[in-house]
Amino acid sequence: MNEEIKETMLDLLCKQAIYGLDEQETKQLGQLEYDGGEGESIDLTVAALGLIDLNTREEMPAHLQSTILAKAEDYFGTQKTAESVIAAPAREIVLSDTLSSKPWFGWLGWAAAAAACVALAVSIFSPRNPTQVAGGPTPSPTQVERLDPAQKRQKLIESPAQVLTAQLGKGNVKEIENVTGDIVWSDEKQDGYIRVKGLPRNDVSKETYQLWIFEENQDPKTPIDGGTFDISSDGEVIIPIDARLKAKNPKMFAVTIEKPGGVVVSGRGKIAALAKRET
């Protein structure tokens, strides 16, 4: 059976299982049935078994479920005995004379195709197709909340983690007199922020600001690099600290002026701001 015929056959099966066929479509389906081979029937069985195991979370609407079951009952001639209604054991499928005259493998293929149609209808209400859930399209997942540095800083301060604070003041650069602000840092989260006001805008082609962290396990001559940053506006700015090593129990922070890209070890000739930990 070529792909076009197979596609047409499965199309008709799906339509029959869910909506029903008109007279012309019924004849077309009957003709395709006789054209199918045993090998194709086995393939359809395997495909249907794979589809039956779909994990559905949305309940199928009652009207659609009853329509599918009714079509299956009509097509295969399923009958219930009084005992099966009471005890709910496995159903007995009784084939009509017309059906029983077909080769067994051929009918196995048709059963598999019908099962595939039912599975397809079920999958319409599965989370795998969220836009097809009854009642309209499913709303898109809530986007991850995006916080700006000021909000992240506040969230760190309000967290259960212990957070230290160090007040920023002037360094050894005479031109920078009115620098103010603070630094917050958490050893537990290895996270912190500089909040500063009064640092002049820097020419990024000539210089950058760089933070240094003086902590208990590091030689004071080589403090931990806390990352570089630029000032492009007046007023208060908040910059995330980018510590290159794990910092424990910092005692002091320094903001120096360095060449673009920063340095590995600062000569501390231009300290724009200093912050000592509050006790």
Side-chain angles (χ1 to χ4, degrees), residues 164-229:
L164 65 87
T165 303
Q167 294 298 320
L168 272 173
K170 69 184 298 294
N172 62 9
V173 180
K174 293 181 179 180
E175 295 80 12
I176 305 176
E177 290 286 341
N178 300 317
V179 59
T180 59
D182 58 38
I183 292 176
V184 294
W185 173 262
S186 166
D187 281 358
E188 179 184 334
K189 294 181 176 293
Q190 288 294 296
D191 188 22
Y193 296 86
I194 310 167
R195 182 176 64 171
V196 62
K197 181 178 180 181
L199 286 180
R201 302 184 189 189
N202 60 296
D203 183 344
V204 296
S205 66
K206 297 179 180 179
E207 58 190 14
T208 189
Y209 291 103
Q210 189 164 2
L211 177 69
W212 303 96
I213 307 171
F214 296 81
E215 55 96 84
E216 63 181 26
N217 295 324
Q218 192 74 13
D219 188 331
K221 294 180 181 179
T222 57
I224 295 174
D225 179 3
T228 62
F229 62 93

Side-chain angles (χ1 to χ4, degrees), residues 131-143:
T131 60
Q132 297 297 324
V133 175
T138 299
S140 58
T142 303
Q143 293 184 348

Side-chain angles (χ1 to χ4, degrees), residues 58 124-141:
E58 286 287 337
I124 293 175
F125 299 91
S126 166
R128 297 186 185 187
N129 288 311
T131 60
Q132 297 297 324
V133 175
T138 299
S140 58

Side-chain angles (χ1 to χ4, degrees), residues 239-257:
I239 303 104
I241 295 175
D242 181 20
R244 305 306 168 89
L245 297 173
K246 185 174 181 179
K248 181 180 179 182
N249 197 25
K251 300 294 185 182
M252 186 171 69
F253 302 85
V255 176
T256 61
I257 300 174

